[in-house]
Amino acid sequence: MFDYEYPLNVSDLLYRARYLFPNKELVTRYPEGIHRYTYGDFYKRVCKLAHALDKLGVEKGERVGSFAWNTFRHLELYFALPCTERVLHTVNIRIPDEHIAHVVSVAEDKYLFVDEDLIPIIERVQDRLDTLKGYIVMSHSGKVPDTTLKPVYSYEELIEGEEEEYPFPEFIDEKSTALMCFTSATTGFPKGVEYTHRGIVLHSLVSSLPDAFNMHERRVMMAVVPMFHVLSWGYPFACTMVGAKQVFPGSQPTPKDLVELIEREKVNYAAGVPTIWLAVLSEIETGKYDVSSLKEVLSGGSAPPRALMESYDKYGITLTHAYGMTEAYPLVLVSRLKSYLEDLPDNDRYRFRAKQGLLLPCLRCRVVGESGQEVAHNGEEFGELLLRGPWIVKGYYRDKERTQETFGDGWYHTGDVVSIDEEGYIQVADRTKDLIKSGGEWVSSVQLENAIMAHPAVKEAAVIAARHPRWDERPLACVVLKEGGKEEGKKEGIRELLSKRFPKWWLPDEILFVDEIPKTSVGKFDKKVLRKDFGDYYIGG
Amino acid sequence: MFDYEYPLNVSDLLYRARYLFPNKELVTRYPEGIHRYTYGDFYKRVCKLAHALDKLGVEKGERVGSFAWNTFRHLELYFALPCTERVLHTVNIRIPDEHIAHVVSVAEDKYLFVDEDLIPIIERVQDRLDTLKGYIVMSHSGKVPDTTLKPVYSYEELIEGEEEEYPFPEFIDEKSTALMCFTSATTGFPKGVEYTHRGIVLHSLVSSLPDAFNMHERRVMMAVVPMFHVLSWGYPFACTMVGAKQVFPGSQPTPKDLVELIEREKVNYAAGVPTIWLAVLSEIETGKYDVSSLKEVLSGGSAPPRALMESYDKYGITLTHAYGMTEAYPLVLVSRLKSYLEDLPDNDRYRFRAKQGLLLPCLRCRVVGESGQEVAHNGEEFGELLLRGPWIVKGYYRDKERTQETFGDGWYHTGDVVSIDEEGYIQVADRTKDLIKSGGEWVSSVQLENAIMAHPAVKEAAVIAARHPRWDERPLACVVLKEGGKEEGKKEGIRELLSKRFPKWWLPDEILFVDEIPKTSVGKFDKKVLRKDFGDYYIGG
């Protein structure tokens, strides 16, 4: 017998794409036009990039940042760094300048790979990026535009002339870090998490299961979820492993760009947040595009309104809802109907489909109520969701305090308040911080929001806890009407809708019409801002 | 941070079935009638069995044998032993008595669980089973029949009254052994392999991928491949993980029994060796059964003749071919068409589908020719298939010599001679031991066999290397005609068929008509016996 345990390595995924799918395509949208190449070409450029990283002197275990859109070059970084035992740190391009400076400094990034059109952001903060030895600009022309960044290199010039084969390490410790990213926190700086080789391979396998993302070679996949955000939900790895054709939307894609890509590349599967699918739906509804190739849309980040699922169903496109978070690579739950629920009436089927779903294999969960006991599986009791498993991270990067707070007892405390029904479907009621406590009773802001968004005149709705002199907190609804919608009679209509579904004391005391709901950098409702603006509404603030 | 690495444990699969699929069914065929219960019931009985094992005094890490058909009780053993840190040793019920005595003794089994109707076999060898402290009879009536085995217990009496919950260990070392089995060897006693918790979980995940077995909750699965043979190809674990309905064929199932189960239980997916599917096809062709639920049949063990795939296609049933071995839990290759091969002419599609298929994620392979170099991917050069990966075993149990021979350089030497084509599909030409070396050139017996079996009058065919005074070895074909078939003109017909596809020097010098091809204990052609009988045919033996 020998002394090694064969490890799970990101390079396994690269190896498979190269050997089995060298002719499958990778497509990126650029302002200059579509870029198209194969996994065979991709592998050669990953090798060239690996040689270039050697020449730049990046050591084993060192972090290198990316500040980039979803493109084939970003995918090359996703593989070249981990497969040579370095770490790719994907920096969120939408966070405030001081957060960019903070995360690059905490990660001690040695180089930063920057998309051409994002240079101005980095120029603003460059003085504070003192761990960096240089910038590599990913310009589609291959030329570096005028910039104050220095030293600055061109990605294409850097890899030009390098060899198209690379002696990748045969075995990498599977517990070593392959990628890392930071997630925004309610207060304070973003929190960093590390993704291991083991975790990425396991997540690729589990997320590709038929009852999860169902990833296979016949997929033509367009991940709209950014590659700077939780590994683009792991799609770059899962797709490469199964040899799926990948379509990268590139810089600043509009809904129109996305629909054009679906039509041109015959995309049959796409993934992103519900707001994207709302916007894409509007484009589809113009009737100008042939989107008949599209069969499934994976929606995550927040719960999809039932109306959205129904609209997609009409086009023969299944909108599947999934749930996860930065701390879990991200996938935890996927909401697919069990075989024997398929025959339920429409209402019940949509009710299950709109829940966050069923727990993936290998994960364990506990739903712990206020008493510290696990809640009953009846869909009615609420508790905080705790998670544990081989791809749940074990803490925040160099952050003992918040690690202790969130992971201290060996379970990851998600901060999400959920119920779990008889069938095991988990439904998120709220973030612990978003729950409304009225007269000693909990009210779920998310359930109210979803109900309000089912009103035909409503585009978006957010419900917050507003301070109240008598009940401590009371729900307050902020509603955006669809374009051209009039306010007259809408408040009454919404109230009527809610009163059919919820007890009287759940109904928001006030419904405010606003122009838009503020969003976080990853497109979720930013309730912090709403609470700041309207939190004192009932006490005359 | 804490000091544990969350392990991959067989109990993860049990946990998921219990929490998410307590109402899904498990069905077993018994002579007395169908037994039916749910994963909820199953979990309780696994707990009761775990308590019973404690009372029997089975220690952590100790082996316990099973000698049993595919039944729900066998599934209970599959989980109760590993989930309590013991090891289940599945003993092949079809091996010679001296091999049974050998494997039980090498594994040092402490108890043996025996199906009622298999007691006579164990009675014959009981004197040589000196590591055993007792026998547990799995009788459907719950009563132990008269037997000379002692001490003897009844499975049902043993677990009766035990508690329906069990404090399973929270974390089991993922590298510890969960199950073990022995595989027959060309010479000498069977070779033992150990299956770890890690390997079983990884194999469950990978084999369930859409491009592998494609296992999901909607499957109604009938594994005909025995649970005493390579973990029944891992289906008991994969099915439990995804919550599939499982149908166990029980003792001595006939083709008629299998078709009746398909009809009654609405089986939509089944797995077994080609000879089973040949026999089942005959039943289907009687037109007496409604098998419209059946969508896919997984065939492994040996290559399916093209005619068999075509026949199933006519019924809307896809026969998918897979390849593996005891040393790989077993799955290594699955032959599904890539998307862009779907449009090929029928001939080419069947040619790809009949190959052994594409390598699964996380495995690595080398195809090494006689020169020690990897062969080109052109489908024409041949070499031995070497494998490595997280669920390839690392040696044979307490067998340094054969471990060194087969695993000595860190790669598992499969002994299969294969080619690999431009698309990455691997095709097994032969066992290294079955290749025919004629005048210094290799001839593939398997390719000749498959071609002969495409003749409409032929039921089965095996080609062996027979010693030859001039060419060293020459192919000799042993052919079984279909029932009622006459020999007249058949030799010429077969010769004509072969001469169209192969060079002249590949054609067998002689075609012998025989009553049957001898089979091994797992249903493969037993060429050892044929070589013994006919190996000297050309030199007058």
Side-chain angles (χ1 to χ4, degrees):
Chain A
M1 308 260 176
F2 10 96
D3 53 359
Y4 72 83
E5 187 69 31
Y6 198 97
L8 304 173
N9 284 174
V10 169
S11 45
D12 295 336
L13 317 179
L14 180 65
Y15 168 87
R16 193 161 189 264
R18 180 222 188 160
Y19 274 107
L20 299 185
F21 311 109
N23 304 320
K24 293 292 303 282
E25 274 187 333
L26 302 157
V27 175
T28 306
R29 177 193 147 268
Y30 279 99
E32 299 85 352
I34 292 291
H35 175 271
R36 202 179 286 279
Y37 75 162
T38 65
Y39 280 112
D41 306 324
F42 161 73
Y43 180 79
K44 290 177 190 162
R45 284 174 52 99
V46 169
C47 290
K48 291 164 86 149
L49 178 54
H51 286 293
L53 290 165
D54 289 350
K55 290 194 179 154
L56 286 172
V58 183
E59 300 289 331
K60 179 173 162 178
E62 282 188 341
R63 272 78 55 209
V64 166
S66 64
F67 200 77
W69 301 100
N70 291 18
T71 71
F72 74 96
R73 288 190 185 85
H74 210 165
L75 188 75
E76 290 167 2
L77 292 169
Y78 260 59
F79 281 89
L81 285 150
C83 293
T84 57
E85 297 189 80
R86 290 133 176 162
V87 178
L88 174 66
H89 167 207
T90 56
V91 182
N92 189 328
I93 64 172
R94 298 213 180 98
I95 57 177
D97 288 1
E98 66 269 30
H99 285 189
I100 294 173
H102 177 80
V103 301
V104 169
S105 142
V106 171
E108 299 178 56
D109 292 335
K110 295 295 178 265
Y111 289 89
L112 190 64
F113 284 75
V114 187
D115 264 347
E116 186 167 26
D117 60 339
L118 300 172
I119 291 176
I121 303 177
I122 299 301
E123 284 178 338
R124 286 202 307 258
V125 294
Q126 59 178 310
D127 292 345
R128 283 174 280 169
L129 306 180
D130 46 19
T131 62
L132 293 184
K133 297 193 224 166
Y135 301 86
I136 295 103
V137 172
M138 297 189 284
S139 149
H140 202 50
S141 69
K143 301 266 178 292
V144 174
D146 274 348
T147 172
T148 60
L149 298 180
K150 65 177 180 184
V152 68
Y153 307 90
S154 148
Y155 186 96
E156 294 301 322
E157 284 171 17
L158 210 60
I159 69 171
E160 202 184 321
E162 294 295 343
E163 285 198 40
E164 297 183 340
E165 281 291 344
Y166 187 89
F168 293 106
E170 232 185 336
F171 303 112
I172 297 174
D173 177 358
E174 67 179 32
K175 294 172 190 174
S176 64
T177 305
L179 284 94
M180 70 179 302
C181 78
F182 284 76
T183 178
S184 56
T186 318
T187 53
F189 281 115
K191 301 170 283 189
V193 300
E194 293 178 278
Y195 299 126
T196 64
H197 281 268
R198 173 183 166 99
I200 288 170
V201 172
L202 285 172
H203 186 273
S204 301
L205 294 175
V206 172
S207 69
S208 296
L209 288 174
D211 286 334
F213 289 161
N214 193 18
M215 294 305 295
H216 46 70
E217 185 272 337
R218 295 165 301 289
R219 287 288 196 214
V220 180
M221 170 74 201
M222 183 173 71
V224 184
V225 55
M227 291 173 78
F228 57 74
H229 176 58
V230 209
L231 310 176
S232 187
W233 299 350
Y235 284 112
F237 296 114
C239 286
T240 303
M241 175 179 84
V242 304
K245 172 175 168 180
Q246 297 185 58
V247 178
F248 297 99
S251 169
Q252 306 260 36
T254 65
K256 189 163 170 292
D257 292 327
L258 297 177
V259 184
E260 283 175 357
L261 281 172
I262 293 169
E263 179 177 70
R264 186 189 312 114
E265 301 300 329
K266 298 196 167 42
V267 168
N268 56 31
Y269 184 94
V273 293
T275 45
I276 293 284
W277 303 125
L278 261 168
V280 164
L281 181 64
S282 304
E283 289 298 328
I284 293 176
E285 282 173 341
T286 64
K288 284 192 241 160
Y289 304 93
D290 174 6
V291 294
S292 58
S293 61
L294 190 61
K295 299 300 174 213
E296 185 167 12
V297 152
L298 208 292
S299 172
S302 56
R306 167 176 169 169
L308 188 64
M309 292 194 283
E310 286 180 315
S311 300
Y312 274 94
D313 278 343
K314 278 183 213 142
Y315 290 94
I317 302 165
T318 304
L319 191 145
T320 303
H321 178 42
Y323 164 90
M325 64 281 290
T326 305
E327 291 82 349
Y329 288 66
L331 198 60
V332 175
L333 307 171
V334 179
S335 201
R336 291 190 187 276
L337 285 178
K338 294 183 191 175
S339 49
Y340 57 88
L341 302 177
E342 294 275 7
D343 301 330
L344 289 176
D346 265 10
N347 250 337
D348 294 317
R349 293 171 61 249
Y350 282 115
R351 193 166 49 81
F352 279 113
R353 283 181 55 193
K355 294 191 178 191
Q356 278 57 51
L358 299 174
L359 194 68
L360 293 179
C362 299
L363 296 181
R364 305 264 177 140
C365 77
R366 297 180 67 209
V367 179
V368 178
E370 287 200 58
S371 63
Q373 295 292 306
E374 284 199 57
V375 304
H377 291 203
N378 58 15
E380 287 175 6
E381 291 177 46
F382 292 93
E384 186 182 6
L385 179 65
L386 316 188
L387 292 170
R388 194 165 73 177
W391 63 93
I392 305 295
V393 303
K394 284 183 273 173
Y396 297 117
Y397 190 69
R398 298 188 181 171
D399 190 339
K400 275 188 192 160
E401 196 182 319
R402 290 193 288 189
T403 293
Q404 182 55 34
E405 202 177 291
T406 309
F407 299 87
D409 62 356
W411 290 83
Y412 163 51
H413 292 245
T414 64
D416 280 341
V417 176
V418 309
S419 64
I420 177 165
D421 66 24
E422 295 82 353
E423 293 293 345
Y425 287 81
I426 288 176
Q427 182 166 30
V428 174
D430 270 286
R431 295 285 303 163
T432 45
K433 298 184 177 72
D434 292 336
L435 266 184
I436 300 157
K437 195 150 194 179
S438 171
E441 298 281 353
W442 294 111
V443 175
S444 163
S445 65
V446 172
Q447 288 184 39
L448 288 170
E449 284 161 11
N450 285 340
I452 297 172
M453 283 193 278
H455 189 287
V458 172
K459 189 180 165 206
E460 289 177 341
V463 175
I464 60 162
R467 278 170 284 278
H468 192 277
R470 179 163 174 198
W471 302 110
D472 196 22
E473 291 179 356
R474 286 294 301 152
L476 173 75
C478 303
V479 172
V480 182
L481 292 176
K482 283 188 182 156
E483 215 152 317
K486 298 247 166 57
E487 293 182 15
E488 282 81 46
K490 298 299 185 304
K491 263 190 210 189
E492 296 68 24
I494 292 170
R495 283 232 172 79
E496 201 186 317
L497 195 74
L498 297 179
S499 62
K500 282 187 202 146
R501 292 197 42 193
F502 302 107
K504 200 171 165 217
W505 53 272
W506 271 48
L507 307 190
D509 296 15
E510 189 54 87
I511 295 170
L512 301 177
F513 293 104
V514 295
D515 290 339
E516 61 172 337
I517 308 285
K519 309 278 194 315
T520 67
S521 67
V522 295
K524 295 185 191 185
F525 291 163
D526 194 344
K527 293 197 182 177
K528 281 197 305 292
V529 176
L530 287 176
R531 272 195 299 266
K532 194 164 144 271
D533 292 348
F534 303 114
D536 291 339
Y537 190 87
Y538 298 139
I539 54 174
Chain B
M1 308 262 175
F2 8 99
D3 53 359
Y4 71 84
E5 186 68 32
Y6 198 98
L8 304 172
N9 284 174
V10 169
S11 46
D12 295 336
L13 316 179
L14 180 65
Y15 167 90
R16 191 159 191 264
R18 182 224 188 157
Y19 273 105
L20 299 185
F21 310 109
N23 304 321
K24 293 294 301 284
E25 275 187 332
L26 302 157
V27 176
T28 306
R29 175 191 148 270
Y30 280 100
E32 298 87 348
I34 292 290
H35 174 271
R36 200 178 288 278
Y37 74 163
T38 65
Y39 281 111
D41 306 325
F42 161 72
Y43 180 80
K44 290 176 190 164
R45 284 174 52 98
V46 168
C47 290
K48 292 165 86 152
L49 177 55
H51 286 293
L53 290 165
D54 289 349
K55 289 194 180 154
L56 286 173
V58 183
E59 301 289 333
K60 179 174 161 177
E62 283 187 340
R63 273 78 56 208
V64 166
S66 64
F67 200 77
W69 301 99
N70 290 18
T71 72
F72 75 95
R73 288 190 184 86
H74 210 166
L75 189 74
E76 290 166 4
L77 292 169
Y78 260 59
F79 282 88
L81 285 150
C83 294
T84 57
E85 298 189 78
R86 290 134 176 160
V87 178
L88 175 65
H89 167 206
T90 56
V91 181
N92 188 329
I93 65 173
R94 297 210 181 100
I95 56 177
D97 288 2
E98 66 268 30
H99 285 189
I100 295 174
H102 176 80
V103 302
V104 169
S105 143
V106 171
E108 298 179 60
D109 293 336
K110 294 296 179 263
Y111 288 90
L112 190 64
F113 284 75
V114 187
D115 264 348
E116 186 169 25
D117 60 340
L118 300 173
I119 291 177
I121 303 176
I122 299 301
E123 284 179 336
R124 287 202 307 257
V125 293
Q126 59 178 309
D127 293 345
R128 284 174 279 169
L129 306 180
D130 46 18
T131 62
L132 293 184
K133 296 193 221 166
Y135 301 85
I136 296 104
V137 172
M138 298 190 284
S139 148
H140 202 53
S141 69
K143 301 265 180 292
V144 175
D146 276 346
T147 171
T148 59
L149 298 178
K150 66 181 180 181
V152 67
Y153 307 91
S154 148
Y155 186 97
E156 293 302 321
E157 284 172 17
L158 209 62
I159 70 171
E160 202 186 320
E162 293 296 342
E163 285 198 41
E164 297 183 339
E165 282 290 345
Y166 187 89
F168 292 106
E170 233 185 333
F171 304 111
I172 297 174
D173 176 359
E174 67 179 32
K175 294 172 190 173
S176 64
T177 304
L179 284 93
M180 70 179 300
C181 78
F182 284 76
T183 179
S184 57
T186 318
T187 53
F189 282 114
K191 301 171 284 189
V193 300
E194 293 179 278
Y195 298 126
T196 64
H197 282 268
R198 172 182 166 102
I200 288 170
V201 172
L202 285 172
H203 186 273
S204 302
L205 295 174
V206 173
S207 69
S208 296
L209 288 174
D211 285 333
F213 290 160
N214 193 20
M215 294 305 295
H216 47 70
E217 185 272 337
R218 294 166 301 288
R219 288 286 195 213
V220 180
M221 170 74 203
M222 182 173 72
V224 184
V225 54
M227 292 173 78
F228 56 74
H229 176 58
V230 210
L231 311 175
S232 188
W233 299 350
Y235 284 111
F237 295 115
C239 287
T240 302
M241 176 180 84
V242 304
K245 173 175 168 180
Q246 297 185 56
V247 177
F248 297 99
S251 167
Q252 306 259 34
T254 64
K256 189 161 168 293
D257 292 329
L258 297 177
V259 184
E260 283 176 359
L261 281 171
I262 293 169
E263 178 176 73
R264 188 191 309 114
E265 301 302 329
K266 298 195 168 41
V267 167
N268 56 31
Y269 183 94
V273 293
T275 44
I276 294 284
W277 303 125
L278 259 169
V280 164
L281 180 64
S282 303
E283 289 297 328
I284 293 176
E285 283 175 340
T286 64
K288 284 192 241 161
Y289 304 92
D290 174 6
V291 294
S292 58
S293 60
L294 190 61
K295 300 300 173 212
E296 184 167 10
V297 153
L298 206 294
S299 173
S302 55
R306 168 176 169 170
L308 188 65
M309 293 194 283
E310 286 181 315
S311 301
Y312 274 94
D313 278 342
K314 277 184 213 143
Y315 290 93
I317 302 165
T318 304
L319 191 145
T320 303
H321 179 40
Y323 164 90
M325 64 283 289
T326 305
E327 290 83 347
Y329 286 67
L331 199 60
V332 174
L333 307 171
V334 179
S335 200
R336 290 190 189 278
L337 285 177
K338 294 183 190 175
S339 50
Y340 57 87
L341 301 177
E342 295 275 7
D343 300 330
L344 289 177
D346 264 10
N347 251 337
D348 294 317
R349 294 170 63 247
Y350 282 116
R351 193 166 49 82
F352 279 114
R353 281 180 57 191
K355 293 191 178 191
Q356 276 58 53
L358 299 175
L359 194 69
L360 293 179
C362 299
L363 296 181
R364 305 263 178 140
C365 77
R366 298 181 66 210
V367 179
V368 178
E370 284 198 61
S371 64
Q373 295 292 306
E374 284 201 58
V375 304
H377 291 201
N378 58 15
E380 287 175 8
E381 290 178 48
F382 292 93
E384 187 181 6
L385 178 66
L386 315 189
L387 291 169
R388 194 165 74 177
W391 63 92
I392 306 293
V393 303
K394 283 184 274 173
Y396 296 117
Y397 190 68
R398 299 189 179 170
D399 190 340
K400 275 188 192 159
E401 194 182 320
R402 290 193 288 190
T403 293
Q404 182 55 34
E405 200 177 291
T406 309
F407 299 88
D409 62 356
W411 289 84
Y412 162 50
H413 291 245
T414 64
D416 281 340
V417 176
V418 309
S419 64
I420 178 165
D421 66 25
E422 294 81 353
E423 294 293 345
Y425 286 81
I426 288 176
Q427 182 166 30
V428 173
D430 269 289
R431 294 288 300 164
T432 43
K433 296 183 178 73
D434 291 338
L435 265 185
I436 300 157
K437 195 148 194 181
S438 172
E441 297 282 352
W442 293 112
V443 176
S444 163
S445 66
V446 172
Q447 288 185 37
L448 288 170
E449 285 162 10
N450 286 340
I452 297 172
M453 283 194 277
H455 189 288
V458 171
K459 190 179 163 204
E460 287 176 342
V463 174
I464 59 162
R467 276 170 286 279
H468 193 277
R470 178 162 175 202
W471 303 111
D472 196 22
E473 289 180 355
R474 287 294 301 153
L476 173 75
C478 302
V479 172
V480 181
L481 292 176
K482 283 189 182 156
E483 215 153 319
K486 299 243 167 56
E487 291 181 16
E488 281 81 45
K490 297 299 184 306
K491 261 191 211 187
E492 294 69 24
I494 292 170
R495 281 232 172 77
E496 201 187 317
L497 196 73
L498 297 180
S499 61
K500 282 187 202 146
R501 291 196 43 191
F502 302 107
K504 200 169 167 221
W505 53 273
W506 271 48
L507 306 192
D509 297 15
E510 189 53 87
I511 296 171
L512 302 177
F513 293 104
V514 295
D515 289 340
E516 61 172 338
I517 308 286
K519 308 278 192 317
T520 68
S521 67
V522 295
K524 294 186 191 182
F525 291 163
D526 195 343
K527 293 198 182 175
K528 281 198 303 295
V529 175
L530 287 177
R531 273 195 297 267
K532 194 163 145 271
D533 292 349
F534 303 114
D536 291 340
Y537 189 87
Y538 297 138
I539 54 174

